[in-house]
Amino acid sequence: MSVATYRTGVTEYQQVGTGPKLSGVRVLDKASALLGVVEDGPATLGEMVAASGLPRPTVHRIAVALERLDLLTRDLNGRFVLGARLGNIAADPQRDPLGRLAAATLNDLHELTALEARLYRRLDHMQICTAVSADAAVSGLHPVGSRRSVKSGPVAQALLAWEEPAELTEGLRGARFTSAQLALVRRQGWAYGSDAAIARHLAFAVPVRVRDHRVVAVLAVSGPPDRMPGAPSRVLCGAVIDAATELGDAAVRTGAWPQRAL
């Protein structure tokens, strides 16, 4: 959102009634503008001022208030990012068509592998569980809405591996994996190792892609060592990769895939 767009846009939309919807409540429209800036990626206070066209004291006051409400938070570099409260909303199956679509796929995958199956999406520096198989729901381990940093584990690797170089560099800061490991994930098409979300579990994670090959989610199965092989078997790889492919195809057919990452 450019300075000109916001400053001239408010007047124009009020007079002509075209363009993005405004509430008519100035403080809400200003808060919405700032959330829109951060929706495009992490932003410093100065970047939010420049993008919104609002005075710096106003941006600071509203941003801090949004942070108190968990609608904004800070990344490791102190930049504003979308907050956990928005992540909870995004993870709500009632608001996430991809999560709803995944339910049958996750249950079928559990039937095939006897492992717990979950769907994850990424919100900036967090991975959010947006759907689980029926058995995983019963176990109560890492339920829908659970969040973890994308700094460790196979799910985090699969979520980050296909990102653009600048995003990869940012994601690797403080991570417990390296760029070489992410390169291996890209070559293999999957990630495997200790489950960062569930203690003493191993996880196998595969990206869910849509028509432009964009990764919009990760499908993962997990279980204790006595139920997971020391290395992914051909049967396990085939089952999870096929399920992820089918989910991506179904998302395209139904229009359930998100227009952008969370």
Side-chain angles (χ1 to χ4, degrees), residues 68-82:
R68 288 178 184 144
L69 295 171
D70 282 338
L71 295 173
L72 288 179
T73 188
R74 311 280 185 117
D75 66 10
L76 295 176
N77 295 315
R79 298 174 301 178
F80 287 98
V81 296
L82 295 177

Side-chain angles (χ1 to χ4, degrees), residues 89-237:
I89 293 171
D92 186 342
Q94 298 303 316
R95 296 181 174 92
D96 182 13
L98 190 60
R100 294 199 303 271
L101 188 65
T105 299
L106 295 175
N107 289 331
D108 288 346
L109 193 55
H110 167 67
E111 291 296 323
L112 284 171
T113 65
L115 298 168
E116 295 184 357
R118 293 175 176 82
L119 184 73
Y120 294 88
R121 289 175 61 191
R122 186 166 75 91
L123 175 63
D124 294 312
H125 60 289
M126 304 296 292
Q127 65 186 43
I128 303 173
C129 179
T130 61
V132 301
S133 56
D135 66 302
V138 171
S139 77
L141 296 173
H142 206 55
V144 170
S146 299
R147 303 183 307 276
R148 283 193 63 87
S149 168
V150 286
K151 297 299 182 182
S152 63
V155 171
Q157 293 175 37
L159 284 168
L160 286 171
W162 286 269
E163 289 290 350
E164 296 297 325
E167 191 75 21
L168 278 178
T169 300
E170 177 67 25
L172 284 167
R173 290 197 180 113
R176 297 181 182 176
F177 44 79
T178 66
S179 58
Q181 286 175 283
L182 293 185
L184 178 61
V185 170
R186 287 192 295 274
R187 288 197 300 272
Q188 294 177 152
W190 47 263
Y192 184 80
S194 296
D195 192 335
I198 304 175
R200 297 180 295 280
H201 273 216
L202 296 172
F204 180 74
V206 174
V208 176
R209 302 171 182 272
V210 292
R211 64 179 62 168
D212 57 0
H213 301 293
R214 179 163 50 97
V215 174
V216 295
V218 161
L219 192 61
V221 293
S222 64
D226 61 344
R227 290 167 53 196
M228 290 286 280
S233 66
R234 181 178 296 182
V235 173
L236 179 63
C237 287

